[in-house]
């Protein structure tokens, strides 16, 4: 996901390098606790997202949430709310920057 170009990317990468993370739900979403106090000037609360189909064809979404200038969560969910059967490989993801 971090291959996409979006405002605040460099700062978010620095935050993530030193972050502590923990899984927060059954889908694999993670809470991000940045180790560095660096502001990321993202223009939207979700500056980048990715998606790929599960083996049943239903899309799996990954959204990076940035709140108060800090990476806060990587939300992972399946569009129909069913259990994720197979997590996509990085090269299977269609990544989209949502802010310039």
């Amino acid at each position: 996901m971090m291959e996409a170009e979006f405002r605040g990317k460099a700062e978010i990468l620095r935050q993530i390098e030193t972050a502590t993370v923990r899984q927060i739900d059954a889908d694999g979403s993670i809470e991000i606790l940045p180790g560095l106090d660096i502001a990321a000037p993202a223009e939207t609360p979700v500056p980048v997202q990715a998606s790929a189909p599960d083996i049943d064809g239903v899309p799996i979404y990954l959204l990076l949430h940035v709140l108060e200038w800090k990476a806060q969560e990587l939300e992972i969910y399946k569009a129909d709310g069913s259990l994720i059967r197979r997590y996509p490989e990085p090269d299977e993801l269609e990544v989209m920057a949502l802010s310039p």
Side-chain angles (χ1 to χ4, degrees), residues 10-55:
E11 293 85 358
I12 290 171
L13 283 170
R14 291 186 60 209
Q15 291 175 7
I16 292 171
E17 287 174 351
T18 59
T20 301
V21 299
R22 70 177 179 98
Q23 185 173 331
I24 57 173
D25 65 28
D27 287 329
S29 297
I30 59 171
E31 177 183 43
I32 303 167
L33 301 168
L36 293 176
D37 191 21
I38 299 169
E43 293 182 355
T44 179
V46 179
V48 64
Q49 72 175 26
S51 65
D54 199 348
I55 57 174

